[in-house]
């Protein structure tokens, strides 16, 4: 079992290096040129990228099936690194949680690689792109399967650097390079706290092994476990784009659309939620950390849903939706609903990857990200239309699609904790519960607005409405299947089954949000339903001006200090250094006068010295 899990993570890693080293030469060997561009079917880097991920998917399915048939924890250790204090055990841990998340990661990674073959056809840097996607997948699988927190952290950071390169793939576009730098810096800010939290937890527990930390979490000193949990939350907020470190995710939409599906929908952003679930007993032993997580989740889910409601860019709608849905998972964890939160992580990975790839189909055809440039696309793009309809319905929580099952289970967990009590304070539990209900209505509203403005009404562009490449449309259609049926797999667990009361409440809120958006659109299909927001729309569209606040409170002061340092360096430090050099030069000029190489001067000096000596002798003696 551990050997299979190792291969699941190792194959994408090998694919990354093979793609970098042999991708271009293999393309030439296969003769994969068509009209000056690489033919998708015979694309060397594509074969190197897709085949290992496909094998990893099969192996991950075998691992997941084995764990399902025989539940339990399997561990294996490669080596022990002695550090002088707490050793690092390089090994893997496979259980139900890691097995099912790894399967989801492989599914999404394969879909992205296949989709990218057509989406980036002819891109001169496709080899490096596919290699970084493979390396990113390997790093995420290392995070999922890792049995040691420091090994997990290694994969965590490799994901960060891969996201930097992938977001900035088209680095010649200034917006892309800036988005990549912003994503890297903001997530690194959270990762500083995450690393310190890992060290505090490891030193406090005397081990970095996850299973030992989980087993002994309740016995650790309260101050240690609380400090560690709060520090871990800093990394979680950065990686999972939660308030206040959420601002990088919408800007990251500047990267290629398949990367939005891979990193910003199903894998990297889910890593923070996964880590909290992985060491959940640590957070159970720190109620203060759960309360902070719950409050941050409410702010993120409601605020991001409001922002999504007013966006003009299709990908930014989905980006803010991702922040909101990740907050739903975090809210589930905050109220003790570990299983519902992971269930929503899985269903979200399916329908959000579907939505981003379907959005890529729309963008390729329309040549624009703007909702105002769409309209009437359902007639010429039936596969994309029905697939995206499934994705948006699952996002909104339309029964019986997957999102309805998972979101309803999170709401039920919040309701139970609010009424009956739990690890978090009653006020926080009620706040989480009410925030979830409000988010259901807001999600239905912006999902309906996006659906109507994209596929209905009169066409608002001069482009030909057609399906894009079969590689793209068929991949989207394939992802629509798990997005539709994945929720039924939760019926086997009692805590994931829907119940009549909460389910009816969710459906009523869904109808209110979707119905309101439809009525506003139906008044004039040529206009944006978001106009009804009135003066609030600019506030929502700018996501409550958090970026502007950071710019005023952090960016501008830092730049002002940097300018002062530059002036100080030039006028004081550099002046002192150059002044010393100039003084030495002037002194040297004077000291070299007696050594000018003129023999007559030397003889004159010699004679003058003799005269002075003789005169001194005569006078003194």
């Amino acid at each position: 079992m551990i050997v299979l899990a190792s291969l699941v993570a190792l194959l994408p890693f090998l694919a990354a290096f093979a793609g970098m080293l042999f991708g271009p030469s293999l393309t030439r060997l296969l003769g994969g040129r068509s009209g000056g561009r690489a033919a998708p079917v015979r694309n060397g880097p594509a074969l190197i990228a897709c085949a290992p991920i496909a094998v990893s998917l099969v192996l991950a399915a075998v691992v997941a099936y084995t764990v399902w048939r025989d539940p339990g924890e399997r561990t294996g250790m490669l080596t022990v690194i002695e550090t002088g204090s707490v050793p690092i055990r390089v090994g893997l841990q496979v259980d139900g949680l890691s097995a099912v998340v790894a399967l989801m990661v492989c599914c999404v990674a394969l879909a992205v690689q296949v989709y990218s073959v057509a989406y980036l056809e002819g891109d001169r840097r496709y080899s490096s792109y596919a290699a970084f996607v493979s390396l990113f997948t390997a790093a995420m699988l290392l995070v999922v399967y890792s049995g040691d927190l420091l090994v997990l952290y290694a994969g965590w950071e490799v994901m960060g650097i891969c996201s930097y390169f992938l977001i900035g793939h088209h680095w010649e576009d200034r917006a892309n390079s800036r988005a990549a730098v912003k994503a890297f810096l903001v997530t690194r800010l959270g990762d500083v706290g995450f690393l310190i939290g890992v060290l505090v937890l490891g030193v406090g527990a005397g081990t970095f092994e996850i299973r030992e930390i989980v087993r002994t979490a309740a016995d650790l000193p309260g101050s240690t476990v609380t400090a560690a949990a709060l520090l871990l939350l800093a990394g979680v907020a950065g990686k999972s784009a939660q308030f206040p470190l959420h601002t990088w995710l919408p800007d990251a939409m500047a990267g290629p659309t398949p990367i939005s599906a891979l990193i910003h929908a199903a894998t990297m952003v889910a890593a923070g939620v996964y880590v909290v679930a992985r060491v959940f007993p640590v957070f159970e032993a720190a109620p203060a950390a759960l309360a902070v997580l719950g409050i941050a989740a409410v702010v993120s889910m409601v605020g991001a849903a409001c922002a999504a409601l007013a966006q003009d860019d299709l990908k930014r709608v989905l980006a803010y939706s991702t922040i909101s849905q990740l907050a739903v998972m975090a809210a589930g964890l905050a109220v003790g609903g570990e299983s519902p939160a992971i269930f929503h992580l899985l269903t979200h990975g399916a329908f959000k990857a579907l939505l981003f790839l379907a959005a890529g189909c729309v963008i390729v055809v329309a040549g624009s990200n703007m909702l105002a440039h769409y309209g009437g696309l359902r007639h010429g793009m039936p596969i994309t239309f029905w697939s995206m309809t499934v994705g948006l319905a699952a996002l909104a929580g339309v029964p019986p699609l997957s999102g309805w099952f998972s979101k309803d289970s999170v709401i039920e967990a919040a309701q139970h904790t609010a009424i009956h009590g739990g690890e978090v304070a009653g006020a926080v539990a009620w706040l989480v519960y009410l925030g979830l209900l409000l988010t259901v209505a807001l999600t239905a509203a912006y999902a309906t607005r996006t659906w109507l403005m994209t596929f209905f009404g009169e066409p608002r562009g001069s482009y030909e409405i057609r399906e894009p490449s079969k590689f793209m449309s068929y991949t989207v259609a394939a992802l629509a299947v798990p997005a539709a049926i994945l929720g039924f797999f939760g019926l086997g667990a009692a805590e994931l089954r829907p119940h009549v009361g909460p389910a009816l409440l969710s459906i009523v809120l869904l109808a209110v949000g979707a119905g309101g958006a439809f009525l506003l659109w139906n008044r004039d299909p040529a206009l944006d339903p978001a106009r009804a927001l009135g003066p609030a729309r600019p506030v929502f569209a700018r996501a409550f001006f958090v970026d502007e606040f950071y710019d005023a409170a952090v960016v501008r002061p830092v730049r002002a200090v940097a300018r002062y340092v530059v002036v100080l360096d030039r006028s004081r430090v550099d002046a002192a250094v150059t002044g010393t050099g100039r003084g030495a030069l002037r002194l040297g000029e004077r000291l070299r006068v007696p050594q000018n190489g003129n023999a007559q001067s030397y003889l004159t000096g010699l004679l003058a010295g003799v005269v002075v000596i003789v005169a001194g002798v005569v006078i003194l003696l």
Side-chain angles (χ1 to χ4, degrees):
M1 177 66 67
I2 297 299
V3 173
L4 289 180
S6 302
L7 289 174
V8 171
L10 182 61
L11 286 173
F13 181 78
L14 296 176
F17 280 89
M20 285 287 191
L21 295 175
F22 307 117
S25 58
L26 184 56
T27 298
R28 291 191 294 271
L29 179 64
L30 293 174
R33 309 296 295 179
S34 176
R37 301 198 298 179
V41 177
R42 304 182 69 186
N43 190 311
L47 293 175
I48 294 174
C50 296
I53 296 294
V55 176
S56 289
L57 173 59
V58 173
L59 296 178
V62 172
V63 171
Y65 178 75
T66 304
V67 172
W68 176 68
R69 289 293 304 273
D70 183 18
E73 182 182 284
R74 282 88 165 174
T75 59
M77 186 170 59
L78 177 63
T79 186
V80 178
I81 301 175
E82 296 295 341
T83 63
S85 56
V86 182
I88 303 171
R89 301 179 185 276
V90 181
L92 302 182
Q93 176 180 329
V94 178
D95 53 19
L97 174 60
S98 61
V100 72
V101 174
L103 181 60
M104 181 269 290
V105 170
C106 290
C107 287
V108 175
L110 179 60
V112 167
Q113 290 281 29
V114 173
Y115 184 95
S116 298
V117 173
Y119 189 88
L120 289 175
E121 182 184 359
D123 191 297
R124 58 193 177 90
R125 291 193 293 271
Y126 174 77
S127 293
S128 61
Y129 166 90
F132 277 122
V133 171
S134 295
L135 183 59
F136 174 88
T137 304
M140 181 64 192
L141 290 169
L142 180 62
V143 169
V144 172
Y145 281 137
S146 176
D148 186 281
L149 278 180
L150 281 180
V151 176
L152 181 151
Y153 180 74
W156 180 279
E157 290 299 338
V158 172
M159 278 196 300
I161 192 64
C162 287
S163 70
Y164 168 77
F165 287 116
L166 289 170
I167 294 168
H169 176 69
H170 297 297
W171 49 262
E172 61 275 6
D173 186 338
R174 187 64 173 166
N176 289 26
S177 59
R178 285 181 174 177
V181 171
K182 182 177 181 179
F184 185 78
L185 292 178
V186 173
T187 53
R188 293 293 77 69
L189 182 63
D191 289 352
V192 171
F194 187 82
L195 176 59
I196 297 173
V198 167
L199 296 176
V200 169
L201 195 56
V203 172
T207 179
F208 291 110
E209 272 194 286
I210 294 176
R211 63 173 181 172
E212 290 299 318
I213 289 173
V214 168
R215 185 178 62 82
T216 61
D219 301 325
L220 294 177
S223 58
T224 298
V225 74
T226 299
L230 290 173
L231 287 167
L232 290 177
L233 283 183
V236 170
K239 220 65 160 186
S240 291
Q242 296 297 286
F243 179 82
L245 300 180
H246 64 287
T247 56
W248 66 271
L249 186 61
D251 289 355
M253 295 301 105
T257 299
I259 297 310
S260 301
L262 177 69
I263 296 179
H264 311 125
T267 50
M268 188 179 94
V269 291
V273 174
Y274 172 81
V275 168
V276 175
R278 193 69 161 157
V279 294
F280 191 65
V282 173
F283 288 87
E284 286 184 313
L290 285 179
V292 171
L293 178 62
I295 293 170
V298 171
V299 174
S300 299
M301 77 172 81
V302 176
C306 291
L309 194 58
Q311 297 302 309
D312 298 318
D313 186 315
L314 175 58
K315 288 178 67 175
R316 290 181 76 87
V317 171
L318 298 179
Y320 281 109
S321 171
T322 297
I323 297 173
S324 183
Q325 295 304 306
L326 289 166
V328 170
M329 304 171 206
L333 292 169
V335 296
E338 182 183 2
S339 295
I342 294 300
F343 187 32
H344 194 56
L345 184 151
L346 297 174
T347 61
H348 176 265
F351 66 70
K352 191 53 67 67
L354 163 63
L355 286 173
F356 269 111
L357 295 185
C361 293
V362 172
I363 292 168
V364 165
V365 170
S368 172
N369 290 19
M370 296 296 126
L371 291 172
H373 297 163
Y374 304 151
L377 299 185
R378 72 185 188 281
H379 299 297
M381 305 179 68
I383 297 177
T384 302
F385 167 65
W386 287 109
S387 300
M388 198 163 185
T389 298
V390 170
L392 289 170
L395 169 64
V398 175
L401 300 179
S402 61
W404 176 68
F405 286 96
S406 58
K407 197 179 297 184
D408 186 72
S409 65
V410 173
I411 293 173
E412 285 198 37
Q415 182 187 50
H416 182 274
T417 302
I419 296 174
H420 301 288
E423 296 294 338
V424 295
V428 175
W430 277 107
L431 181 64
V432 169
Y433 177 59
L434 295 176
L436 285 167
L437 295 180
L438 179 57
T439 301
V440 170
L442 291 172
T443 303
Y446 70 70
T448 303
R449 167 183 174 256
T450 302
W451 184 60
L452 293 171
M453 291 189 66
T454 302
F455 295 106
F456 292 85
E458 294 297 323
R460 294 185 288 271
S462 57
Y463 47 85
E464 178 189 358
I465 302 176
R466 55 175 177 77
E467 290 288 358
S469 166
K470 292 180 179 179
F471 272 81
M472 297 168 64
S473 57
Y474 287 0
T475 300
V476 169
L479 282 173
V481 176
I485 68 172
L486 196 57
F488 290 99
F489 288 88
L491 296 177
E495 67 270 26
L496 302 180
R497 295 182 195 134
H499 296 85
V500 176
L504 286 177
L505 179 58
S506 296
I507 293 172
V508 169
L509 293 171
L510 165 69
V512 170
F518 174 78
L519 291 175
L520 289 170
W521 173 83
N522 196 46
R523 291 179 184 176
D524 189 347
L527 298 178
D528 188 345
R531 68 187 187 279
L533 294 173
R537 184 175 185 180
V539 179
F540 288 0
R542 296 300 303 163
F544 301 94
F545 300 103
V546 175
D547 263 322
E548 286 77 3
F549 171 76
Y550 287 163
D551 185 68
V554 179
V555 177
R556 292 178 186 174
V558 169
R559 285 181 174 175
V561 171
R563 285 192 293 268
Y564 175 76
V565 170
V566 169
V567 172
L568 180 65
D569 182 62
R570 289 175 178 171
S571 61
R572 296 291 186 270
V573 179
D574 278 358
V577 173
T578 57
T580 301
R582 290 170 182 169
L585 286 174
R586 286 194 292 269
L587 180 61
E589 289 292 335
R590 286 170 173 75
L591 293 176
R592 68 184 293 273
V593 171
Q595 299 291 330
N596 58 8
N598 190 327
Q600 184 176 354
S601 299
Y602 297 160
L603 183 59
T604 302
L606 176 63
L607 293 176
V610 171
V611 170
V612 170
I613 293 173
V614 171
V617 171
V618 171
I619 294 171
L620 295 176
L621 297 178

